[in-house]
Amino acid sequence: MQDHQSSTPRTSTPRRAPVVIIAGLAAIGLAIGGGVAWWNGRSAAPEANAPSSTAVSPSPQTAPAQQTVQIYWLKTNSDRIELAPAPVTVPTTGQPDATLKAAFETMLKGSPDAALTSTIPQNTRLLGLEAKQDGIHVNLSQEFTSGGGSTSMQGRLGQVIYTATAIDPNAKVWLSVEGKPLEVLGGEGLVINQPTSRSDFEQNFSL
């Protein structure tokens, strides 16, 4: 019997291994190429969440506006004592009350200049100050009336009147101690008109 299988030519089956390898290499190549493209894109474009270099910085705080007013000290001129104005810088608030309060607080701390002095007792406190239509109302603590003779009393009275009218020299001054109108000052009995003023001081007192 003839062997038909031996006479029939055998068709060889294609080898698939190289195809699989090639496909795998192609996939790897695509992946690498895509990764390079992605990396290049990331390098070229700025990050979306990165802060912009042109961001506006917060502006520095503006220093408060200031103004200069005169406070009054005493100084010796030859054989007499006289009132001496000295400039002081205080914040500008647009309110006369606040400006004059700042001037008074500075005066009550005492003079930083050895050539200028004050006869207002050290512990005197400003209890209140109001600028009203009828004048400047000043309220001082009880210490204002303590110690000193006639010259000392006149000097401190002049300091208060002139400093209270630093913004308006023609203004009237209503002077109180512990909330009560001050009518007589010191053991010498200096009579104080209510209201008083610069012109009133010049007419009735002499340092």
Side-chain angles (χ1 to χ4, degrees):
M1 174 182 262
Q2 258 186 334
D3 187 357
H4 294 284
Q5 293 179 355
S6 59
S7 62
T8 303
R10 186 176 293 179
T11 304
S12 60
T13 303
R15 301 178 65 182
R16 297 188 178 184
V19 174
V20 173
I21 293 172
I22 292 170
L25 291 174
I28 293 172
L30 288 173
I32 293 173
V36 171
W38 175 85
W39 177 258
N40 289 338
R42 293 282 291 179
S43 300
E47 294 189 20
N49 295 329
S52 174
S53 60
T54 58
V56 178
S57 301
S59 57
Q61 293 184 349
T62 304
Q66 296 183 322
Q67 71 180 96
T68 300
V69 295
Q70 301 285 352
I71 59 176
Y72 284 79
W73 306 104
L74 300 172
K75 72 175 182 179
T76 303
N77 185 5
S78 299
D79 59 346
R80 58 172 296 182
I81 296 175
E82 61 184 25
L83 289 164
V88 61
T89 301
V90 298
T92 299
T93 63
Q95 299 296 326
D97 303 43
T99 300
L100 292 176
K101 282 180 182 178
F104 261 85
E105 294 292 354
T106 301
M107 181 179 67
L108 294 178
K109 290 177 182 178
S111 172
D113 188 343
L116 303 175
T117 188
S118 172
T119 57
I120 299 175
Q122 272 190 332
N123 297 325
T124 301
R125 292 170 293 117
L126 179 66
L127 302 180
L129 189 151
E130 291 182 277
K132 298 183 178 181
Q133 289 185 347
D134 62 347
I136 311 299
H137 292 248
V138 179
N139 185 21
L140 298 171
S141 65
Q142 187 64 45
E143 289 82 359
F144 179 74
T145 64
S146 63
S150 176
T151 300
S152 173
M153 294 297 175
Q154 291 182 59
R156 72 186 68 174
L157 180 61
Q159 286 182 258
V160 168
I161 293 172
Y162 276 71
T163 300
T165 55
I167 296 177
D168 180 6
N170 297 317
K172 303 291 184 181
V173 179
W174 301 83
L175 183 57
S176 298
V177 171
E178 302 290 342
K180 297 180 180 180
L182 183 61
E183 298 175 350
V184 179
L185 179 60
E188 301 291 332
L190 271 67
V191 178
I192 301 172
N193 296 326
Q194 294 286 357
T196 187
S197 63
R198 290 190 180 191
S199 60
D200 185 76
F201 180 83
E202 293 170 0
Q203 290 173 12
N204 296 290
F205 303 104
S206 59
L207 293 173

